[in-house]
Amino acid sequence: MLVDSVPEQRAETAPAPPTRRAIRSVGLLVAVVLLLVVAVASIAIGAKELSLAQVWHGLFEDTGTYGDVVVGERLSRTVLGLLVGAALGLAGAVLQALTRNPLADPGLLGINAGASAAVVTAVTYLGVSSLTGYVWFAFFGAAAVGALVWFLGGSRGATPVRLALAGTAIAAALFGYVQAVMILDQAALAKMRFWTVGSLTSATNDTIWQVLPFMAVGTLLSFGLARPLNAMAMGDDTAKALGAHLNRTRALAMLAATVLCGAATAACGPIVFVGLMVPHVVRSFTGPDLRWIMPYAAILSPVLLLGSDVIGRVVARPSEVQVGIITAIIGGPVFIFLVRRRRTAQL
């Protein structure tokens, strides 16, 4: 009698679900591709309409009219936007971790206000008229306010609440000073009206090279602080138990944020909401680990900034709307949504 042989049924092992780390890595790659797309759009699209062939010709072959527009203006503007966006995103991530406030932004500690006050003073009372001249005043103002906030916040005994309160008070006073000077001095108002809303229109190679070293130092310092800031997020006692040096970490975090914000504000004026929105949104899908938040923020913040800049060039041709205005228009509703969602989650 023939007996049919029944093949053994082997249990099929279900494919293992992708790990969260793998998903984050793929997402980071997608973010890089998106950044490249936006950077190309920033070079190709402007207030002056050029065909793709003309853009290519100006970028690689022509040193005349097309070269002046594409290389002399758009390329420098795009590079500066990449640097400033990354700086603001990293500064926002650091400050949100430092203050333990997910809705904090680089303006919370008064750094933007310090830079603005220094520039207004330089233009009005010292006769400084060129961007390369007041870049250094802006950086000095940001650094001075950062040091003052650290001192008023208690220096070695500084806490997130004290730092936030000191920064808010100083920012209010300095912005009042800026507005008073600009109202009383029409010449200063004419010179400062574009810078104070945030603009990339004055981007030059000189500006890029001046702020690049500060942004590089601030970036390296921020990434180096990811682990201790992660520990501090669990509370001071837990952070001490894990070996974190609280005062040193807070001081270095203040320094990193000041350097990044100061350089970004010096280059193109105070740009709002970028440092608030991007780290907050990124945290929603990366989790609270700064080792992932920082890379995402450094990549996606330039996407928002350059995308807003491209929109500003297109909506008012042949003129353009400053990037600081576009980010404020986008950021206002997003900020309201984030606040309402946070409030709902707490109920």
Side-chain angles (χ1 to χ4, degrees):
M1 182 176 64
L2 297 177
V3 179
D4 294 334
S5 59
V6 180
E8 295 182 359
Q9 295 181 351
R10 297 179 179 178
E12 297 182 358
T13 304
T19 64
R20 189 169 187 180
R21 182 183 182 87
I23 295 174
R24 289 167 173 171
S25 300
V26 172
L28 202 59
L29 181 61
V30 173
V32 171
V33 173
L34 181 59
L35 178 60
L36 292 175
V37 171
V38 174
V40 171
S42 178
I43 296 173
I45 301 172
K48 180 180 177 61
E49 294 190 48
L50 296 177
S51 67
L52 291 179
Q54 291 171 330
V55 171
W56 180 269
H57 187 62
L59 192 60
F60 295 105
E61 302 173 11
D62 184 27
T63 58
T65 303
Y66 298 148
D68 291 340
V69 172
V70 177
V71 177
E73 297 178 12
R74 294 185 188 175
L75 185 59
S76 298
R77 188 168 177 166
T78 300
V79 172
L80 184 62
L82 291 171
L83 294 175
V84 169
L88 292 175
L90 282 174
V94 169
L95 289 176
Q96 288 175 10
L98 176 64
T99 61
R100 298 175 193 165
N101 181 359
L103 295 179
D105 75 329
L108 180 66
L109 299 184
I111 298 170
N112 289 346
S116 299
V119 171
V120 167
T121 301
V123 170
T124 305
Y125 300 112
L126 301 179
V128 178
S129 58
S130 65
L131 177 65
T132 55
Y134 59 66
V135 158
W136 296 102
F137 284 93
F139 186 78
F140 174 78
V145 169
L148 182 59
V149 169
W150 176 250
F151 174 76
L152 294 178
S155 58
R156 289 185 176 274
T159 63
V161 174
R162 287 181 180 178
L163 292 174
L165 289 175
T168 301
I170 293 173
L174 289 178
F175 275 127
Y177 165 77
V178 169
Q179 295 299 320
V181 171
M182 292 179 63
I183 290 173
L184 296 174
D185 191 328
Q186 294 300 314
L189 176 61
K191 292 178 182 178
M192 297 296 300
R193 59 195 179 101
F194 289 113
W195 187 86
T196 52
V197 297
S199 173
L200 295 173
T201 55
S202 299
T204 63
N205 290 333
D206 289 340
T207 304
I208 293 171
W209 285 113
Q210 284 179 342
V211 300
L212 182 59
F214 298 105
M215 291 184 176
V217 170
T219 299
L220 293 175
L221 190 56
S222 297
F223 279 101
L225 291 170
R227 287 182 180 274
L229 285 174
N230 277 342
M232 289 176 59
M234 294 183 285
D236 289 355
D237 293 337
T238 303
K240 288 180 181 178
L242 293 173
H245 299 276
L246 301 185
N247 292 328
R248 185 176 68 186
T249 300
R250 287 184 180 128
L252 291 176
M254 278 288 300
L255 177 62
T258 299
V259 170
L260 290 170
C261 292
T265 306
C268 54
I271 296 178
V272 297
F273 287 116
V274 174
L276 183 154
M277 283 191 296
V278 176
H280 187 84
V281 172
V282 163
R283 189 179 293 103
S284 66
F285 59 84
T286 64
D289 191 347
L290 285 169
R291 292 173 297 177
W292 286 102
I293 293 175
M294 286 183 179
Y296 269 99
I299 294 171
L300 292 179
S301 294
V303 171
L304 174 61
L305 186 63
L306 287 177
S308 299
D309 191 42
V310 171
I311 292 172
R313 301 181 212 174
V314 173
V315 295
R317 280 177 172 168
S319 182
E320 61 181 81
V321 180
Q322 307 305 310
V323 65
I325 298 174
I326 300 297
T327 58
I329 292 174
I330 296 173
V334 173
F335 181 72
I336 294 172
F337 169 75
L338 294 176
V339 172
R340 288 184 60 85
R341 188 179 70 171
R342 180 173 172 80
R343 182 181 177 185
T344 302
Q346 292 176 343
L347 294 178

